[in-house]
Amino acid sequence: MELRIINPSEESGFLSEIQWNYEEVKAWVASRVEEYKNIAYTEDAAKDMKQDRAELNKAKTAIENERKRIKKLCMEPYERFERQVKEVTGLIDEPIGLIDEQLKEIEEKRKQQKQKDIEELFKTIGFQDFIVLERIMDPKWLNATVSLGKIEEQMKNILFKVGTEVATISSLPEFSFEALEIYKKTLDLNQAIAEGQRLAEIQKKKQQYEEEQKRIAAEKARQEAEQKM
């Protein structure tokens, strides 16, 4: 079915010009405006000034009213056409909506199956016990354009990365256990190492404090012994 515009046509066109006594009205307005430009009102001419302003406003209003009337006449056929078009397109929207709903259901079922396939694939990779699928799942994996082969490759890359980072943390000279616990919660190597360094710094300050306390106690004991002599 083809939409055919019968009127206006390409040959006849739409209303191309609104004909009115433009030049005559413009000349009359211009002459009146020129008259008012040359008037030098006095303080006693307030009444005349108000009357002249009222006449000018009346002329302007009359012209504007005609403009609005003609605009309405020009818009009426278009607005009627617009209502008719919306009525027709509204009929089309109904089956489109039904199709969209079915497509949405099909897409949802596909994603659910893809999710199951990803879960099964995850089980075969051999991740560390603290790694669960939800922590590494990329939402893009559910896209139809991302193959299971690509997902497997990315999972193995993550497995290798985690293994390398766990080895790095385990090699820390101090507090590797605590740092690893942080890593298990965050999968953030920098945060885990920072925690290990923080604990090491606390341990260092604690040792310095204890050594200082021992020195103070020894000095106090020495002074007491000297006083008894």
Side-chain angles (χ1 to χ4, degrees), residues 76-87:
E76 280 180 356
Y78 169 76
E79 290 173 351
R80 182 166 55 253
F81 170 70
E82 183 181 42
R83 288 192 299 269
Q84 293 169 343
V85 167
K86 287 184 177 180
E87 181 180 358

Side-chain angles (χ1 to χ4, degrees), residues 9-25:
S9 64
E10 292 185 3
E11 291 77 16
S12 62
F14 202 61
L15 180 62
S16 60
E17 182 181 5
I18 297 175
Q19 298 179 352
W20 61 296
N21 58 336
Y22 164 67
E23 295 296 343
E24 180 183 354
V25 173

